[in-house]
């Protein structure tokens, strides 16, 4: 009895004090989370909802329809733009995945002069503002096209090719970063074990290194694909005339007013991106 | 010898980039079918030596011969040796059967022969039925056996084992020690076994090379290493030893007399090249010393002391006995009687007589 009598007055103020201290913090943190989600996702949610709205007017909900999606599929310009986007994304992903993986391996395996400088320079496209990257690529293509024209009489133009090269340039560092993360906890004794068992350098790479890096490589590839499909700024500056991708098509339509077809197109693009990023994250988690 | 050694190291040294001397002028000959251990504390160069035999490191100087052929810069995949790694290094993306088959697949052995030999190898390590499991689904001991099967299926001339039991718990380790030794006798392959566990080395090996600071200090059978350590390091690292420092006062055929602290004469085994007056260390193992109550004095070889501490450890009892102000010895007496019934025969503070067979005490040059 005496023990409860002495402890009770001590615990009571402690508990109340703690409750007072926590309450404002709890409120601020939770409302912060709520507001963040609201700002980030409310526009997207509204966009998706209105892509199903049976009215040409934006602000009023009339009823559910998939008419805009049907119109979108029948629209030849949309189909052409989607085709361009896919070709660019597939080619640039394939090339940047190979270059990025090889870069990651070189940085992980070899010590060479100016390695740190090279590493820093390689990550630059991740940090540099997209507009700067876009303009520098534009200037680069212009200059080299002029030189080629003057020296070799070659006439090259902006188009799918320039967009693809530009996409490779900004997406391979992302592949390299993802693959290097995978390499960071790669157990080199596995390669030694393979060599010990009679595998030469190529066989070791083919049967041990590559399969173990594969989740990282695939994750990097999905990331590169997403970046390519979604890119607007760099594509816009390096597209020239006639080569339109989905984001460029959407931009072109928006200038003539926001239509439900644009909403539908954006919703599809959003869905594809979410699927790709999700795939990338899941692959990176795999052991 | 007639036969060529399976593995021979001639004056092999390894200096790393940061100018650390890992292996310092090591020469060894390992006979066919031998279970040979490299024993030493961590950082003594034993693993580097093994990695040089496997071909993962190249010697800075000296030459390694496998089956009589100098290895030079031969890469690991062209050497007729296989390694069992400390962490097993099983391929996580392959099943047990694929892991075991890897070496044969690389050598493009026909598929049906691979299947047959995988079955045999898994039976040999008692893992039949585990073909389709992945390494992460196996226990440590099972992974260990897969690593063994994966190496042995290639029928190497020499199997290199780098602390293969280090990651297992004590009981499993004891089991695997016997199993490994048994396996080695069954397959008749030369084993080179790296360990820092002296008990493990003594239990399993035909011969042991004791290493410290990059050098081989002594090579011999477990008996030779334990009973005739040639240096203080070996006497101390393998088992336990008392070290008594003193001066040689008498040489008498098989026996020398060394006086400790200018007061206490003790007998020891004679050795070539000892001179009267020389400063030496006598190494004597605790279990070689007999301990008796006083009064039964004999004329030779008895040393008087006082018990300072008694420690009961179950199988044996340790006595710490002071001989002089600066010198104590540990004595280990087997508890051949029930100590509850017999009580403490010799308690703390008791005067005792210590004696030993002179041949059991080694003289080490100071």
């Amino acid at each position: 009895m005496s023990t409860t009598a002495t402890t009770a007055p001590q615990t009571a103020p402690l508990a109340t004090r703690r409750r007072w201290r926590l309450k404002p913090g709890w409120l601020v943190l939770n409302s912060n989370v709520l507001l963040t989600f609201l700002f980030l996702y409310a526009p997207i949610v509204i966009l998706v909802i209105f892509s199903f709205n049976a009215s040409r007017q934006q602000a009023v909900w009339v009823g559910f329809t998939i008419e805009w999606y049907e119109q979108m599929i029948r629209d030849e310009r949309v189909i052409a733009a989607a085709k361009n986007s896919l070709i660019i994304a597939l080619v640039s992903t394939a090339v940047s995945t190979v270059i990025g993986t090889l870069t990651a391996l070189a940085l992980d395996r070899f010590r060479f002069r100016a390695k740190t400088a090279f590493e820093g320079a390689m990550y630059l496209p991740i940090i540099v503002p997209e507009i700067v990257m876009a303009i520098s690529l534009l200037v680069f293509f212009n200059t080299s096209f002029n030189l080629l024209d003057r020296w070799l009489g070659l006439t090259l133009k902006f188009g799918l090719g320039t967009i693809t090269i530009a996409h490779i340039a900004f997406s391979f560092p992302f592949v390299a970063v993802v693959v290097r993360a995978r390499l960071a906890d790669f157990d080199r004794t596995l390669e030694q074990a393979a060599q010990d068992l009679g595998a030469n350098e190529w066989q070791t790479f083919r049967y041990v290194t590559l399969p173990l890096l594969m989740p990282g490589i695939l994750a990097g590839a999905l990331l590169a694909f997403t970046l390519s499909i979604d890119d607007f700024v760099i594509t816009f500056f390096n597209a020239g005339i006639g080569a339109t991708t989905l984001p460029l098509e959407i931009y072109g339509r928006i200038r003539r007013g926001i239509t439900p077809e644009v909403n539908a197109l954006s919703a599809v693009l959003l869905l594809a991106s979410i699927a790709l990023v999700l795939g990338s994250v899941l692959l990176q988690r795999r052991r | 010898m007639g036969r060529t050694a399976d593995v021979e190291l001639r004056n092999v040294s390894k200096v790393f980039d940061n100018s650390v001397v890992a292996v310092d002028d090591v020469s060894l000959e390992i006979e066919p079918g031998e279970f040979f251990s490299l024993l030493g504390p961590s950082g003594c160069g034993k693993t580097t030596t093994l990695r040089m035999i496997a071909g993962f490191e190249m010697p800075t100087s000296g030459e390694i011969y496998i089956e009589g052929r100098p290895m030079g810069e031969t890469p690991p995949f062209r050497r007729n040796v296989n390694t069992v790694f400390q962490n097993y290094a099983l391929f996580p993306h392959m099943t047990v059967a694929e892991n075991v088959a890897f070496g044969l697949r690389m050598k493009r052995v026909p598929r049906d022969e691979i299947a047959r030999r995988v079955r045999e190898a898994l039976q040999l390590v008692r893992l039949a039925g585990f073909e389709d499991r992945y390494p992460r689904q196996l226990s440590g001991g099972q992974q260990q056996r897969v690593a063994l099967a994966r190496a042995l299926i290639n029928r190497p001339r020499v199997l290199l084992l780098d602390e293969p039991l280090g990651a297992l718990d004590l009981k499993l380790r004891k089991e695997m020690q016997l199993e490994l030794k048994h396996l080695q006798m069954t397959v008749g392959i030369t084993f080179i076994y790296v360990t820092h566990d002296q008990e493990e080395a003594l239990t399993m090996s035909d011969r042991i090379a004791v290493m410290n600071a990059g050098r081989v200090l002594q090579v011999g059978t477990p008996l030779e290493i334990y009973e005739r350590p040639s240096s203080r390091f070996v006497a101390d690292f393998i088992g336990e030893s008392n070290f008594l420092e003193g001066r040689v006062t008498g040489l008498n055929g098989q026996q020398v007399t060394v006086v400790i602290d200018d007061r206490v004469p003790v007998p020891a085994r004679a050795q070539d090249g000892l001179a009267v007056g020389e400063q030496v260390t006598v190494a004597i193992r605790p279990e070689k010393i007999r301990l008796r109550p006083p009064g039964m004095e004999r004329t030779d070889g008895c040393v008087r002391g006082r018990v300072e501490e008694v420690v009961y450890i179950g199988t044996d009892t340790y006595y710490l006995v002071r001989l002089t102000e600066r010198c104590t010895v540990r004595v280990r007496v087997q508890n051949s009687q029930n100590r509850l019934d017999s009580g403490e025969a010799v308690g703390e503070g008791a005067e005792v007589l210590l004696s030993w067979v002179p041949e059991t005490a080694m003289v080490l040059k100071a």
Side-chain angles (χ1 to χ4, degrees):
Chain A
M1 275 310 279
S2 63
T3 49
T4 48
T6 49
T7 51
Q10 278 176 340
T11 49
L14 239 169
T16 47
R17 216 185 311 148
R18 188 180 295 158
R19 206 175 304 138
W20 271 114
R21 206 188 296 155
L22 264 178
K23 209 149 196 182
W26 181 89
L27 210 75
V28 168
L29 280 177
N30 279 283
S31 48
N32 180 41
V33 170
L34 208 75
L35 286 172
T36 309
F37 268 84
L38 210 66
F39 280 125
L40 269 180
Y41 294 111
I44 298 175
V45 171
I46 288 168
L47 174 118
V48 175
I49 289 173
F50 276 93
S51 72
F52 293 106
N53 189 8
S55 159
R56 282 231 152 249
Q57 307 305 316
Q58 277 298 307
V60 202
W61 178 260
V62 177
F64 181 86
T65 180
I66 53 164
E67 190 197 332
W68 313 123
Y69 286 87
E70 286 168 355
Q71 258 185 38
M72 182 188 79
I73 293 168
R74 281 197 301 270
D75 189 326
E76 273 171 30
R77 289 184 55 192
V78 168
I79 297 304
K83 220 167 104 187
N84 281 343
S85 272
L86 273 180
I87 291 170
I88 294 166
L90 285 173
V91 174
S92 73
T93 299
V95 177
S96 61
T97 302
V98 172
I99 298 179
T101 304
L102 293 180
T103 310
L105 277 166
L107 286 171
D108 189 71
R109 297 298 157 90
F110 301 118
R111 267 185 288 170
F112 48 88
R113 279 177 59 176
K115 178 175 162 174
T116 338
F118 179 79
E119 220 176 334
M122 195 194 73
Y123 293 136
L124 222 55
I126 302 177
I127 308 155
V128 164
E130 223 188 333
I131 186 77
V132 175
M133 181 99 183
I135 291 169
S136 59
L137 277 163
L138 173 68
V139 171
F140 167 77
F141 283 130
N142 255 326
T143 321
S144 36
F145 286 178
N146 278 335
L147 288 176
L148 283 172
D149 194 15
R150 200 179 309 157
W151 291 343
L152 304 170
L154 268 173
T155 314
L156 295 174
K157 279 197 212 131
F158 282 90
L160 289 190
T162 45
I163 300 174
T164 309
I165 293 172
H167 282 200
I168 293 168
F170 74 71
S171 59
F172 93 85
F174 288 91
V175 178
V177 168
V178 173
V179 175
R180 272 207 90 181
R182 184 90 188 169
L183 275 167
D185 46 30
F186 186 87
D187 183 3
R188 295 294 297 273
T189 54
L190 293 174
E191 289 175 340
Q192 292 179 353
Q195 297 220 343
D196 187 76
L197 293 165
N200 58 32
E201 282 93 345
W202 167 246
Q203 288 173 315
T204 303
F205 182 74
R206 165 76 183 74
Y207 294 112
V208 176
T209 315
L210 198 59
L212 287 172
L213 287 184
M214 206 35 103
I217 294 172
L218 286 177
L222 288 183
L223 200 59
F225 195 88
T226 316
L227 289 169
S228 171
I229 282 278
D230 290 351
D231 182 70
F232 174 75
V233 178
I234 291 172
T235 314
F236 181 76
F237 277 80
N238 293 281
I241 307 147
T244 306
T245 64
L246 275 181
L248 294 190
E249 180 65 29
I250 292 172
Y251 175 73
R253 282 171 187 232
I254 286 245
R255 283 194 300 192
R256 277 172 272 129
I258 302 166
T259 60
E261 292 103 314
V262 170
N263 285 350
L265 200 50
S266 306
V268 170
L269 214 50
L270 175 75
L271 191 74
S273 302
I274 290 175
L276 288 168
V277 171
L278 211 66
S280 172
V281 169
L282 287 178
L283 278 168
Q284 283 185 71
R285 254 195 230 157
R286 209 169 83 176
R287 288 284 72 221
Chain B
M1 295 288 300
R3 302 179 295 181
T4 45
D6 254 6
V7 175
E8 189 186 346
L9 281 73
R10 266 187 224 161
N11 306 102
V12 170
S13 294
K14 177 69 186 180
V15 184
F16 282 113
D17 292 343
N18 49 7
S19 74
V20 170
V21 182
V23 175
D24 188 3
D25 195 27
V26 164
S27 294
L28 288 172
E29 266 182 59
I30 295 145
E31 304 298 330
E34 195 171 28
F35 196 120
F36 191 92
S37 290
L38 294 169
L39 173 65
S42 61
C44 74
K46 55 190 193 296
T47 294
T48 307
T49 305
L50 196 79
R51 289 173 61 81
M52 284 194 287
I53 299 171
F56 299 130
E57 309 276 358
M58 298 302 160
T60 313
S61 63
E63 187 60 278
I64 293 170
Y65 299 81
I66 296 175
E67 296 175 81
R69 282 203 314 276
M71 282 296 112
E73 304 265 300
T74 308
F77 53 88
R78 294 216 190 89
R79 297 186 182 208
N80 197 7
V81 298
N82 283 115
T83 309
V84 174
F85 291 85
Q86 189 165 14
N87 61 354
Y88 319 136
L90 298 178
F91 305 126
H93 59 299
M94 297 182 197
T95 63
V96 168
E98 285 166 348
N99 264 284
V100 175
F102 189 82
L104 298 183
R105 243 177 84 210
M106 292 303 111
K107 291 183 195 89
R108 307 196 190 288
V109 172
R111 195 164 292 192
D112 48 335
E113 189 187 338
I114 293 183
R116 183 175 53 78
R117 279 168 72 175
V118 166
R119 210 161 38 240
E120 282 171 14
L122 286 177
Q123 261 161 19
L124 185 70
V125 297
R126 299 190 288 113
L127 274 180
F130 285 76
E131 285 82 357
D132 297 327
R133 303 266 193 107
Y134 281 90
R136 61 176 174 276
Q137 298 168 311
L138 302 179
S139 71
Q142 288 167 338
Q143 290 183 22
Q144 167 66 64
R145 296 214 289 266
V146 175
L148 269 169
R150 188 177 69 173
L152 287 172
I153 197 171
N154 303 291
R155 298 178 185 149
R157 187 68 187 249
V158 181
L159 187 68
L160 309 173
L161 302 104
D162 184 8
E163 307 236 8
L165 307 182
L168 305 179
D169 63 66
L170 188 68
K171 196 164 155 35
L172 194 57
R173 201 154 73 216
K174 298 260 181 208
E175 275 175 40
M176 284 298 290
Q177 281 176 13
L178 293 176
E179 209 174 305
L180 259 181
K181 178 75 193 165
H182 195 80
L183 192 70
Q184 191 256 343
M185 293 198 287
T186 313
V187 295
I189 291 173
T190 308
F191 275 34
I192 303 181
Y193 191 96
V194 160
T195 181
H196 66 270
D197 185 336
Q198 42 115 355
E199 200 186 316
E200 198 166 284
L202 290 174
T203 310
M204 301 166 77
S205 318
D206 295 320
R207 282 196 307 152
I208 300 170
V210 183
M211 290 186 73
N212 188 37
R215 291 176 161 276
V216 170
L217 299 180
Q218 191 174 357
V219 182
T221 64
L223 264 174
E224 285 164 357
I225 296 281
Y226 189 81
E227 302 288 352
R228 300 255 187 285
S230 63
S231 63
R232 182 165 181 154
F233 179 85
V234 175
D236 201 25
F237 189 73
I238 287 111
E240 266 185 281
S241 288
N242 291 297
F243 297 105
L244 312 172
E245 273 150 42
R247 216 159 30 78
V248 176
T249 57
L251 293 164
N252 174 25
Q254 292 298 304
Q255 203 177 314
V256 291
T257 306
V258 177
V259 173
I260 312 298
D261 283 351
D262 292 323
R263 221 153 52 74
V264 184
V266 300
R269 178 188 162 83
Q271 199 194 88
D272 289 342
L274 280 179
V276 172
E278 200 170 345
Q279 197 70 31
V280 293
T281 302
V282 173
I284 175 89
R285 301 214 178 262
E287 78 276 10
K288 306 285 191 198
I289 304 174
R290 270 172 301 173
L291 180 144
R292 287 172 296 147
M296 304 168 16
E297 246 155 304
R298 281 196 321 207
T299 45
D300 61 332
C302 270
V303 180
R304 190 182 286 275
R306 181 186 292 275
V307 174
E308 286 207 333
E309 217 179 300
V310 181
V311 181
Y312 172 76
I313 61 158
T315 55
D316 301 78
T317 304
Y318 274 107
Y319 297 90
L320 186 69
V321 180
R322 182 163 294 281
L323 301 185
T324 70
E325 299 82 56
R326 299 196 300 139
C327 179
T328 57
V329 293
R330 272 156 72 82
V331 181
R332 182 170 176 157
V333 180
Q334 201 175 30
N335 295 324
S336 51
Q337 287 175 341
N338 187 328
R339 283 286 303 271
L340 273 179
D341 298 335
S342 65
E344 227 169 71
V346 180
E348 281 168 28
E351 291 280 338
V352 289
L353 285 175
L354 305 182
S355 66
W356 56 81
V357 179
E359 283 73 43
T360 59
M362 303 301 300
V363 176
L364 309 170
K365 302 225 177 179

